[in-house]
Amino acid sequence: MGQIHEVKKLTDNRFVNLYNVKATSVHNTPVNYFVASRARNTEDLKLVTKENHPDGVIIYSVYGPERDKVVLVRQYRYTLGDYIYEFPAGLVEPGEEFHSAAVRELKEETGLTLEPVTVAEGFEKPYFTTVGMTDESCATVYGYASGEVSNRGQEASEEIEIVIADRDEVRRILKEEKVAIMCAYMLMHFLKDKEPFEFLKGSL
């Protein structure tokens, strides 16, 4: 196992910061690594705490009386200079329970009301997103969405189009559009499962 000797905070931003890690690898070679993190300070980094509280939440929700449509967002991302299809998502506030965060975020981004589905812990616990670059982890909340679509709760800095997609549109999106990888895998389930949350039944 590699040995970490020093961690230095390089930026001071509200939502994400860059940290420099000095270490020695298992092969006894020097390591100079950079980590992006939601942590506000070095002491809160997961490499320090060894804890995995979710930084964010991703919401996989279905919509309509037949529950045959999925709620997506088409969002402009500066990392790509382009639009990408994703599930509605957002950050978990300090002290906030992540299911509550999911309800809040879906309402803010889409105007819809989320009724979360109870699933085994292993299906919704926080998993890491892009661990080669960041220690960020996100929990996934599944549920049924209802109400009228609205963008009134979106922030001025956001450029988000709300998409209610049936299976034909999901096929088109997967073939033709940029899609976040976690969203893409879930959309593949949506295409194949008659009941959208069939794969969540039972326990791991």
Side-chain angles (χ1 to χ4, degrees), residues 90-127:
L91 297 179
V92 178
E93 300 291 342
E96 185 179 31
E97 197 275 331
F98 71 82
H99 295 91
S100 298
V103 173
R104 173 181 56 77
E105 285 290 347
L106 191 72
K107 176 64 74 172
E108 290 175 359
E109 288 197 356
T110 71
L112 299 175
T113 299
L114 179 69
E115 178 189 344
V117 172
T118 300
V119 300
E121 181 183 359
F123 292 115
E124 64 179 9
K125 76 174 194 178
Y127 287 105

Side-chain angles (χ1 to χ4, degrees), residues 64-185:
E66 303 299 322
R67 295 173 174 172
D68 57 351
K69 297 178 177 65
V70 62
V71 181
L72 303 173
V73 293
R74 180 177 179 265
Q75 183 164 193
Y76 181 83
R77 291 292 193 179
Y78 290 98
T79 48
L80 302 177
D82 203 352
Y83 294 89
I84 185 169
Y85 283 80
E86 306 172 73
F87 283 131
L91 297 179
V92 178
E93 300 291 342
E96 185 179 31
E97 197 275 331
F98 71 82
H99 295 91
S100 298
V103 173
R104 173 181 56 77
E105 285 290 347
L106 191 72
K107 176 64 74 172
E108 290 175 359
E109 288 197 356
T110 71
L112 299 175
T113 299
L114 179 69
E115 178 189 344
V117 172
T118 300
V119 300
E121 181 183 359
F123 292 115
E124 64 179 9
K125 76 174 194 178
Y127 287 105
F128 295 96
T129 54
T130 310
V131 75
M133 297 173 58
T134 176
D135 67 352
E136 180 187 61
S137 66
C138 290
T140 305
V141 174
Y142 311 85
Y144 302 111
S146 62
E148 297 296 323
V149 167
S150 170
N151 62 5
R152 288 192 297 272
Q154 295 177 11
E155 297 179 11
S157 60
E158 295 176 319
E159 190 172 339
I160 298 175
E161 175 189 345
I162 304 153
V163 178
I164 307 296
D166 62 15
R167 285 180 171 83
D168 287 339
E169 178 63 2
V170 166
R171 289 187 184 93
R172 187 199 68 78
I173 289 168
L174 288 173
K175 288 178 181 179
E176 300 177 8
E177 304 287 351
K178 293 182 174 71
V179 185
I181 190 167
M182 291 174 287
C183 178
Y185 287 146

Side-chain angles (χ1 to χ4, degrees), residues 2-3 5-6 20-26 29-34:
Q3 297 296 316
H5 306 301
E6 180 186 7
N20 181 214
V21 178
K22 302 287 188 181
T24 302
S25 78
V26 69
T29 56
V31 174
N32 186 38
Y33 208 86
F34 294 90

